[in-house]
Amino acid sequence: MSWIYLVLAGLLEVVWAYSMKQSAGFTRLIPSIITLVAMIASFGLLALAMRSLPLGTAYTIWTGIGAVGAFLVGIIWLQEPATTLRLLAALLIIAGLVLLKLSSK
């Protein structure tokens, strides 16, 4: 169950990162509210996951899901550049996440 909490927490990190961008520096109400709610839920689920997962594994995977997810949202929805180096960097993050998952008990 901890892994499910962790994945959901990471996905909510993507939600709050995107909605924070849409909030224009917290000047737009609805995206600002979505950001705050998603942040609280993401932190709460991360805390639940950390009850049984090691700190280093949980935190790294949480931030990795958020980083790669936000990267993909930027490319797909915000038309940010998908250069070779940016894609390679994201691939390296994913490889690190997979290795952390495989190395956890």
Side-chain angles (χ1 to χ4, degrees):
M1 196 66 182
S2 294
W3 285 101
I4 293 170
Y5 291 149
L6 186 58
V7 169
L8 290 174
L11 293 173
L12 283 169
E13 187 178 1
V14 177
V15 170
W16 69 253
Y18 176 72
S19 61
M20 183 183 290
K21 174 76 172 167
Q22 298 306 305
S23 77
F26 293 108
T27 61
R28 297 179 57 219
L29 181 62
I30 299 302
S32 297
I33 291 170
I34 292 169
T35 299
L36 295 173
V37 170
M39 279 180 169
I40 292 167
S42 180
F43 281 111
L45 288 167
L46 176 61
L48 289 174
M50 283 184 171
R51 287 182 176 173
S52 61
L53 295 175
L55 167 69
T57 300
Y59 186 74
T60 303
I61 289 180
W62 177 68
T63 58
I65 291 170
V68 172
F71 171 76
L72 292 173
V73 166
I75 289 172
I76 295 167
W77 281 285
L78 302 175
Q79 287 74 50
E80 294 177 356
T83 65
T84 303
L85 282 178
R86 291 184 83 216
L87 293 170
L88 178 61
L91 231 107
L92 289 171
I93 293 170
I94 293 167
L97 298 177
V98 169
L99 288 172
L100 271 172
K101 169 63 173 115
L102 293 174
S103 69
S104 68
K105 296 177 182 176

